[in-house]
Structure formats: C-alpha cells, structure tokens
Amino acid sequence: MRTLILTSKIGGGHNSCAQAIREVMTKNGAYCTEREALALILRRLPRKVSALHTGVYRSVPALFRVWYRHMEHPTVFVCKSQWVRRFFRKGAERLYAITIEGRYDVIICTHVIPALIVTEMLE
C-alpha cells in the first residue's frame, strides 16, 4: 500500500502524529511519504507561518486562544467564497499531480488544512 501523509508544520503535534503513523505503517509493510501541506499552496512560507504560530502562542497566549476558538468554529472553513476556493484549489492541483505521480492508495491528513486541500481536489 502506498500512503501519502499530509501534515502541517504549524505546531509540533501534527508532525509527531504524522511520524507515528509513518512508523507504524512502515513496520507493517506500507510505503509512506510525508509532505507539508502548506507547501502545496504557499511553497516557501510554511516555515514562516510555523514561526509566527509558535511565537504567538508562546508570547501572547490569550490572543492565541481567541484565534484558535474562532478557527474551530464549524463555519470558518465551510465558506465557499471565491478567494477561499482559489486558495485551496492551488494546493489541490499540485496535490492531484503528486497523487497521480506517486500512485498513492491512501491519503492521511493530520491537520484541517491538508483535509481541505484533499476535499477541494476531490470536488
């Protein structure tokens, strides 16, 4: 089985989860590749986005909590506005090419951003 694990370098938990999944699947004979999902959209910015994320939750935790609560609201990513769709479509087109080239059977997402890219790709 060929598996693509899409993660997000925003915080450390998503990467730890992706690594644990990869280790278990590899031990069980699966071929696994891990990719940073934001790089599908932003290319060079994932490291800067991650640094900003970490800086805010360490330096201004109250602001981080407010932002996080807002982002967890179910309607935030359900929006079908043109700019949101264009944002995820850019990553979806790249992900489709990667999926076809890598002949992946399974895509696992450890964060909502990769899941939204996959959803856009399937639509």
Side-chain angles (χ1 to χ4, degrees), residues 19-106:
Q19 289 170 358
I21 292 168
R22 188 183 70 236
E23 286 175 19
V24 169
M25 292 190 77
T26 301
K27 282 180 186 175
N28 288 297
Y31 169 83
C32 293
T33 304
E34 194 176 318
R35 302 267 322 223
E36 161 59 66
L38 276 176
L40 295 170
I41 299 170
L42 304 170
R43 297 231 178 182
R44 294 182 180 95
L45 283 176
R47 189 173 291 152
K48 291 180 182 180
V49 171
S50 178
L52 176 65
H53 179 270
T54 302
V56 170
Y57 81 70
R58 286 184 180 166
S59 304
V60 194
L63 176 63
F64 178 79
R65 281 191 297 278
V66 169
W67 173 254
Y68 204 84
R69 255 186 256 120
H70 170 73
M71 295 308 288
E72 283 185 323
H73 195 274
T75 60
V76 170
F77 290 113
V78 180
C79 171
K80 293 292 183 183
S81 74
Q82 201 58 22
W83 76 268
V84 170
R85 290 197 63 129
R86 221 174 307 136
F87 180 76
F88 290 116
R89 191 175 305 125
K90 187 182 205 182
E93 290 167 359
R94 290 185 182 131
L95 177 59
Y96 181 76
I98 289 165
T99 302
I100 296 301
E101 184 181 313
R103 300 183 335 264
Y104 293 106
D105 302 303
V106 177

Side-chain angles (χ1 to χ4, degrees), residues 104-120:
Y104 293 106
D105 302 303
V106 177
I107 299 174
I108 299 173
C109 303
T110 64
H111 188 270
V112 69
I113 298 295
L116 290 167
I117 295 170
V118 169
T119 300
E120 187 65 29

